[in-house]
């Protein structure tokens, strides 16, 4: 299948992505995430599905069972993909209004990365026929819950 990525590469990507997430989360007073095998499997299956179908879309919310989701796609594969995608999502923080916290489509990846109540992370990576790499990150419990932004998305500590 076109989505096949060697297990050693996946393991390295997952460790890098976890480290990058936890480094960014620490800036906002959020506790570190832990990798979850079930979420890794969930994310990997969705990444492979998207690669196989040559699609790029979120899983339907009602099929995620309280799990948050970030997506990314890149070509070619960056040297440090876990760090690269996490930084790309985190860079949305420049558009986040900490004085008026809430959901914004331009900052939803960032807010999920640092969401204080999320405790577990799972990530997957696949490659489509066009050599585009698809990345999926799943978070439990899900972030970006309306009404919960002030206590879950804190300004960075100086």
């Amino acid at each position: 299948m076109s989505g096949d990525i060697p297990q050693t590469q996946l393991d390295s990507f997952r460790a890098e992505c976890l480290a990058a997430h936890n480094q960014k989360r620490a800036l906002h007073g959020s506790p570190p995430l832990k990798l979850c095998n079930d979420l890794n499997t969930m994310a990997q299956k969705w990444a492979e599905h998207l690669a196989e179908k040559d699609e790029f879309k979120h899983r339907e919310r009602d099929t995620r069972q309280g799990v948050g989701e970030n997506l990314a796609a890149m070509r070619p594969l960056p040297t440090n993909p876990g760090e690269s995608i996490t930084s790309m999502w985190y860079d949305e923080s420049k558009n986040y209004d900490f004085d008026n916290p809430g959901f914004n489509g331009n900052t939803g990846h960032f807010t999920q990365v640092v969401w204080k109540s999320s405790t577990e992370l799972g990530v997957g990576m696949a490659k489509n026929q066009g050599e585009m790499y698809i990345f999926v990150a799943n978070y439990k419990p899900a972030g970006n819950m309306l009404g919960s932004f002030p206590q879950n998305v804190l300004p960075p500590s100086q």
Side-chain angles (χ1 to χ4, degrees), residues 6-80:
Q7 189 62 48
T8 54
Q9 189 178 8
L10 268 178
D11 291 343
S12 174
F13 164 68
R14 287 177 173 143
E16 185 180 288
C17 201
L18 177 67
H21 270 72
N22 287 338
Q23 185 264 333
K24 303 296 189 194
R25 290 171 63 82
L27 299 172
H28 295 267
S30 296
L33 296 170
K34 292 182 178 140
L35 276 182
C36 170
N37 287 335
D38 289 344
L39 290 178
N40 281 337
T41 299
M42 180 181 184
Q44 186 62 33
K45 284 182 179 178
W46 190 244
E48 289 175 3
H49 169 81
L50 294 175
E52 183 180 319
K53 301 289 186 191
D54 198 24
E55 296 177 338
F56 189 74
K57 64 181 185 179
H58 284 283
R59 198 179 342 235
E60 296 297 323
R61 186 174 294 276
D62 60 346
T63 66
R64 286 193 249 147
Q65 303 166 333
V67 173
E69 186 170 82
N70 276 349
L71 302 178
M74 291 183 180
R75 177 181 27 210
L77 184 67
T79 305
N80 300 306

Side-chain angles (χ1 to χ4, degrees), residues 22-32 114-117 151-157:
N22 287 338
Q23 185 264 333
K24 303 296 189 194
R25 290 171 63 82
L27 299 172
H28 295 267
S30 296
V114 302
W115 195 263
K116 193 171 185 174
S117 296
Q151 61 269 39
N152 281 287
V153 182
L154 307 176
S157 53

